[in-house]
Amino acid sequence: MLELKNICFTREGKKILDNVSLTLDEDKFYVITGPNGSGKSTLAKIIMGIEKQDSGEILYNNEDITHLSIDERANLGISYSFQQPVKFKGITVYDLVCLASKKFLTKEDVCQILTKIGLCTNEYINREVNDSLSGGELKRIEIASVSVRDSKLTIFDEPEAGIDLWSFDNLIELFKDIRKNTNGSTIIISHQEKIFDIADKIILLKNGKIEKIGNKEDVIGSFNNKRKKCCHEGCINNE
């Protein structure tokens, strides 16, 4: 479905991604994780076309999309949920969800969608998507709008950011529903173990390179063991 070939990206003299090659299959649920600064969000933005790699190729369903724009990639069925949600002055929550779905939705339909991400529908459905909403509220609304697009590849960049614990539990249920009922693949950038539990595969990035790909036990166990080893060696070196 999606193939990245030797993706490199440098910013202000620092190499963020270093020859990243990756193949993602259809109808799978992936989580990309790793330490801060490992290149996770940059990789997601390159897939969507928000950032442009310095070198390397991107193939989507065997089509070279390396030089396609964001709109062109969206038209092919790729969706993206930002870590920092976009605001839309003058557009209501109901309008935004309907626009994202590209079909007519009743207010009852939208209410059911909002309930899934933990929002009281009567309070939100007619509100504008603007500064009157908190960061967590905007995040949940954006996740709702992305979830109804029925995309073939959906990317969520740290969807848990700014969301309270109760809403996070609702978010997990939404992702379970997406995994079960959506014909498409999902990529989530996350550090949360509850999201790891849903994944078919976890991709561990470190220092701009893919460190490991596998299930939760393999990848997280490997990461934690290396972290413990590094901490131990640091203690020895400081003695």
Side-chain angles (χ1 to χ4, degrees):
M1 181 188 198
L2 181 74
E3 186 176 2
L4 308 179
K5 295 183 178 181
N6 305 117
I7 299 297
C8 294
F9 181 84
T10 301
R11 174 176 288 170
E12 297 178 355
K14 181 181 179 182
K15 187 167 283 188
I16 307 299
L17 295 173
D18 186 5
N19 281 304
V20 171
S21 293
L22 179 65
T23 299
L24 303 183
D25 297 324
E26 290 186 39
D27 299 328
K28 296 293 183 180
F29 200 99
Y30 296 93
V31 175
I32 300 177
T33 193
N36 291 336
S38 58
K40 304 182 298 296
S41 291
T42 300
L43 184 61
K45 289 176 181 176
I46 284 173
I47 294 170
M48 189 68 237
I50 299 166
E51 296 280 9
K52 296 296 183 183
Q53 67 274 16
D54 301 326
S55 60
E57 296 177 289
I58 304 174
L59 302 180
Y60 179 68
N61 291 331
N62 297 318
E63 178 181 348
D64 189 344
I65 65 168
T66 305
H67 303 293
L68 294 189
S69 67
I70 297 172
D71 289 343
E72 289 170 323
R73 297 182 196 205
N75 289 334
L76 290 174
I78 304 176
S79 294
Y80 188 94
S81 175
F82 287 89
Q83 192 176 135
Q84 297 297 325
V86 180
K87 300 168 188 175
F88 300 92
K89 186 176 180 181
I91 296 179
T92 67
V93 173
Y94 172 74
D95 293 334
L96 180 63
V97 176
C98 287
L99 286 168
S101 71
K102 296 183 180 180
K103 61 185 177 182
F104 173 76
L105 297 174
T106 66
K107 289 201 172 182
E108 183 179 350
D109 293 331
V110 176
C111 283
Q112 291 176 355
I113 294 163
L114 294 178
T115 299
K116 287 182 178 180
I117 45 98
L119 292 178
C120 179
T121 56
N122 290 333
E123 293 182 14
Y124 289 95
I125 196 165
N126 293 316
R127 288 183 66 177
E128 287 189 16
V129 186
N130 58 21
D131 288 329
S132 68
L133 297 167
S134 70
E137 290 168 333
L138 287 167
K139 185 75 173 181
R140 281 177 277 174
I141 290 164
E142 183 184 41
I143 290 168
S145 67
V146 170
S147 71
V148 299
R149 290 177 190 164
D150 196 26
S151 300
K152 295 303 179 185
L153 176 62
T154 304
I155 305 165
F156 294 93
D157 190 357
E158 295 196 24
E160 70 273 15
I163 290 182
D164 58 79
L165 181 61
W166 185 81
S167 297
F168 179 67
D169 288 338
N170 280 308
L171 182 64
I172 295 298
E173 293 305 313
L174 175 63
F175 286 141
K176 287 180 180 178
D177 184 65
I178 289 172
R179 184 188 182 196
K180 182 179 179 181
N181 298 311
T182 302
N183 293 322
S185 290
T186 301
I187 300 172
I188 298 183
I189 311 299
S190 181
H191 299 283
Q192 293 292 331
E193 286 202 34
K194 283 189 176 181
I195 295 181
F196 298 163
D197 290 335
I198 310 170
D200 292 303
K201 286 187 179 180
I202 298 172
I203 300 157
L204 176 63
L205 275 181
K206 186 178 179 183
N207 297 324
K209 295 184 177 183
I210 294 177
E211 183 88 356
K212 197 173 183 67
I213 299 175
N215 61 31
K216 176 184 173 181
E217 289 72 23
D218 289 340
V219 174
I220 303 307
S222 171
F223 176 65
N224 287 337
N225 287 336
K226 286 189 177 183
R227 184 167 60 182
K228 288 177 183 178
K229 181 180 178 182
C230 288
C231 290
H232 178 66
E233 288 176 348
C235 291
I236 293 174
N237 291 334
N238 288 331
E239 288 179 353

